[in-house]
Amino acid sequence: LVLYSFCVLGFALSNGFILSLLMRLIGGFVSALLVVFAPIWVDDFGPPSAKSLWMSLVQAGVPLGITIGYLAIGFVEANTSISWRYFFFAQSSLLILFSIFFLVNPDNALNRPVHFTIQQHDALDEYAHVPRSRVKRALKKVSKLLLNPIYILLILSLCSLYFVVNGLQMWVTSYLEGPPVYANKNAIVAVFGACSVTGPIAGVLFGGWLVDRVGGYKEMFRTGLISTLLGAFACAMSFASLFTTSLGGFAACTWILLFFGGAAVPALVGMSLSTVEKRLRPMASGFGSCMYNLLGFFLGPFIAGAVADASSVQWGYRCIMGTSSLAVCLTGVVPLILHCRSSNGLPEPERENLAVTSETEDISEVDESFTTRPELAKQAVLRTSFAGGRPALALPRTHATKVSADEARAVLP
């Protein structure tokens, strides 16, 4: 966060293209850590009864910051001669204040207390020397993510959603200044700014509240149905906006689009983390953020601009709005897959990942070169967890269904 604040300050002070590009590149790299680990922190430390609401608040920060910047710079650029650099000076100052806040607060003010446990490590000592390739493990984690159909569908659905939102933000002014609306630029900035502030924020808060009422985003089948329904409303409004000829009608369609689209985001992000094993969630969050930027934030303005150059701004805008139907289709497949799994007697992904125990964590990654049941049992970890008031047996999740508790107790003293 400190490095990012200095990158923003360096960008504001730079006068050359290379230095400006370098500051943006480094700033984007270090800020990615915050984007990746914020949802994971909420998933780990958020209260179960309000975890979706916490996820909503995290997601609300993105549209809020973008919209405030859009409103501020749009108004200043249209009505004053104040330099754009002052806005980046203000951003850098706020980032430094937040950096000081995190530096002066102890860890226990940000993370929940760790439950006291007694662990028995002897069974793993003789295998501690086994080398593992970090690159191989990273590639294996990515392959597991790519082979997870629910995770991929949710990521692509979010990419489609961000494609629409970012493309709308970039091209709405050019679209509304031309036919069939012919609106004034100041009016466009004010109306779209108001929609962008209130719509997504109200949506993510409503979506988080709604998902919490049905049991949280870890109840994936019901959450998937709700997300599909919310996306369908947003998609309907995106197509309705194509037929409006007044700024007021466009504002109404846009507000409803952003509201229901924002309401679907917390559930989609939460489900994308819940559908993978806990040890894969940092990788899942990072991979998802990479896809959001490439397929959503980058491709939205780029494809719309290419279509606009080839034909007109109106067709570029239609391309953006039409992509909303793709998000609905991808999200709708998720509850279908979960229904098929349930019909075949398979548990939902989150329940499957936590089938051994929800109060304990793996302390070692299993060496998969061991294939016999006694050797797998030796890799099991017996630990007494006082969080739930009773002893718990934690088996490495990779082989949780292959080694029984009796086998592990027979091997470990």
Side-chain angles (χ1 to χ4, degrees), residues 192-267:
F192 182 72
C195 293
S196 300
V197 168
T198 58
I201 295 175
V204 295
L205 294 176
F206 170 76
W209 173 84
L210 180 62
V211 172
D212 280 333
R213 298 287 75 77
V214 300
Y217 56 77
K218 294 183 180 180
E219 294 291 336
M220 296 189 62
F221 179 74
R222 284 181 288 182
T223 305
L225 289 177
I226 291 174
S227 300
T228 304
L229 184 61
L230 295 173
F233 282 121
C235 179
M237 289 300 103
S238 67
F239 281 97
S241 69
L242 298 175
F243 299 96
T244 59
T245 58
S246 66
L247 184 60
F250 180 89
C253 293
T254 301
W255 192 92
I256 299 174
L257 160 65
L258 295 175
F259 176 84
F260 285 108
V265 169

Side-chain angles (χ1 to χ4, degrees), residues 156-231:
L156 292 178
S157 178
L158 283 165
C159 289
S160 302
L161 180 61
Y162 293 140
F163 181 101
V164 173
V165 172
N166 208 47
L168 175 64
Q169 177 197 350
M170 294 294 295
W171 288 97
V172 65
T173 303
S174 299
Y175 174 76
L176 293 178
E177 284 182 322
V181 182
Y182 296 106
N184 176 266
K185 185 174 183 179
N186 283 335
I188 295 172
V189 171
V191 170
F192 182 72
C195 293
S196 300
V197 168
T198 58
I201 295 175
V204 295
L205 294 176
F206 170 76
W209 173 84
L210 180 62
V211 172
D212 280 333
R213 298 287 75 77
V214 300
Y217 56 77
K218 294 183 180 180
E219 294 291 336
M220 296 189 62
F221 179 74
R222 284 181 288 182
T223 305
L225 289 177
I226 291 174
S227 300
T228 304
L229 184 61
L230 295 173

